[in-house]
Amino acid sequence: MKRSDRHRALVDLLRARVEQPISVPRLADRFEVSTRTIERDIRALQEAGIPIYGVPGRTGGFAIGRDFSLPPLAITPAEALSVLAGLGVMDGSPLARDAGRVRDKVLAAMSPQQRAQGRAFAARVALMAPDGPTEDEVARVVREVLVDPRVVELAYRDPRTGACTERSVEPLGMILVRGNWILVGWCRLRDGVRGFRTDGITAIRQTSERPPVRDPDPLASDLSRWDFLAAAP
C-alpha cells in the first residue's frame, strides 16, 4: 500500500474506532508494516493537523478527536446496516482488505449509537462468511485482474480430487458458492468457462495480455447452468 493510501486508511480506521484507542502493534498488524512505520505515520498526520492523540496505559494507544468526523452519510441507518452485512460476507475473499476499509468508512460516518449497533451487526454477519486468507499473493493478483482484466497463468490443485494442472485463464468474475470463493474465467485449456476455488490456486501470475472480448450469450448460458462448477475443472 502506498504511504498516502495508508494514511487515509489509518484516519478512517481511527474514525471508525473513535470510542476506543488502538495500540501501535495492532495498527502495525492491521497494515502489515512495522511499529516504527506506524509511529512515523502518526507523527506525519499530526503535523498535517489531524487531531490524533495518544492515550497512556495498558489499554491505551492512539485515538482521533471526536469532532474530527466525516460528513453524514446520505443513507439511512437501515441501509448502512445492509452495506455492513454485505461487506461482512466478503471476509475470506480476495477483496476482504478493501471491504474492511469501506466498512471503516461507513462506521466512521455513523453516530456513536449507530456505530455500536453496526459493528455488532457486522461481526455477526462476518461469522457466517467462509474462512480463508484475507491477503496473500493469490488474493492480490485476483483483486487486480478483476479491476483491470489481464490473462493469468495459474497452478490449480482441485480441492476435491487433488489433481494438479496449469492453466491460462481469462478472468470473468468472482462468485460465492456453498461457502467457497470461486474465480470464474474462460479456461484456455478446456476452451470454456470454468470456476476455480481460490483456496485451490497454489500459484498465480498476472500477464500483460488483455483478454479478448467474448460473445456474452454463451458465457451467460454457461453461468446460468452452473454445471461447470459441478464438473471437473
Side-chain angles (χ1 to χ4, degrees):
M1 183 187 297
K2 294 180 180 178
R3 183 170 180 264
S4 57
D5 292 338
R6 190 174 63 251
H7 283 186
R8 284 192 291 268
L10 179 57
V11 170
D12 287 334
L13 177 60
L14 292 175
R15 281 168 166 163
R17 311 290 177 88
V18 67
E19 293 86 3
Q20 184 176 3
I22 308 177
S23 69
V24 169
R26 284 185 60 193
L27 291 171
D29 183 65
R30 174 67 178 268
F31 293 102
E32 297 184 344
V33 296
S34 67
T35 55
R36 181 173 297 180
T37 296
I38 290 296
E39 290 168 349
R40 283 199 299 263
D41 290 343
I42 294 293
R43 284 196 299 271
L45 290 169
Q46 290 172 329
E47 291 170 359
I50 308 298
I52 297 175
Y53 61 93
V55 178
R58 185 174 59 84
T59 60
F62 283 100
I64 197 167
R66 292 176 181 271
D67 56 345
F68 190 76
S69 61
L70 293 170
L73 284 176
I75 58 178
T76 67
E79 290 169 341
L81 290 177
S82 297
V83 171
L84 293 171
L87 293 171
V89 175
M90 298 305 294
D91 288 345
S93 81
L95 302 178
R97 173 173 289 186
D98 301 281
R101 295 190 190 113
V102 176
R103 184 162 52 220
D104 288 340
K105 292 179 181 180
V106 174
L107 288 169
M110 300 172 75
S111 70
Q113 181 178 0
Q114 293 170 344
R115 184 158 46 241
Q117 182 184 12
R119 185 175 289 116
F121 184 50
R124 288 195 294 271
V125 173
L127 291 176
M128 296 184 290
D131 294 330
T134 58
E135 186 64 20
D136 56 16
E137 184 64 12
V138 172
R140 183 188 66 79
V141 173
V142 168
R143 183 173 63 247
E144 289 181 358
V145 298
L146 289 177
V147 174
D148 187 14
R150 293 289 194 278
V151 175
V152 295
E153 304 285 347
L154 59 85
Y156 187 70
R157 183 181 184 277
D158 191 324
R160 299 164 300 177
T161 67
C164 298
T165 54
E166 295 184 357
R167 317 287 185 97
S168 293
V169 177
E170 303 168 15
L172 298 173
M174 191 172 62
I175 55 178
L176 178 62
V177 179
R178 295 187 290 274
N180 298 305
W181 284 103
I182 296 176
L183 174 66
V184 179
W186 183 270
C187 176
R188 293 180 175 177
L189 179 65
R190 303 301 189 211
D191 196 28
V193 177
R194 291 294 185 272
F196 303 93
R197 279 175 47 172
T198 54
D199 61 348
I201 299 175
T202 58
I204 189 169
R205 183 181 69 85
Q206 177 181 349
T207 72
S208 59
E209 179 186 355
R210 290 188 178 276
V213 177
R214 294 188 177 275
D215 183 353
D217 292 335
L219 297 183
S221 176
D222 281 346
L223 289 171
S224 65
R225 288 199 306 268
W226 297 76
D227 58 2
F228 69 91
L229 293 176

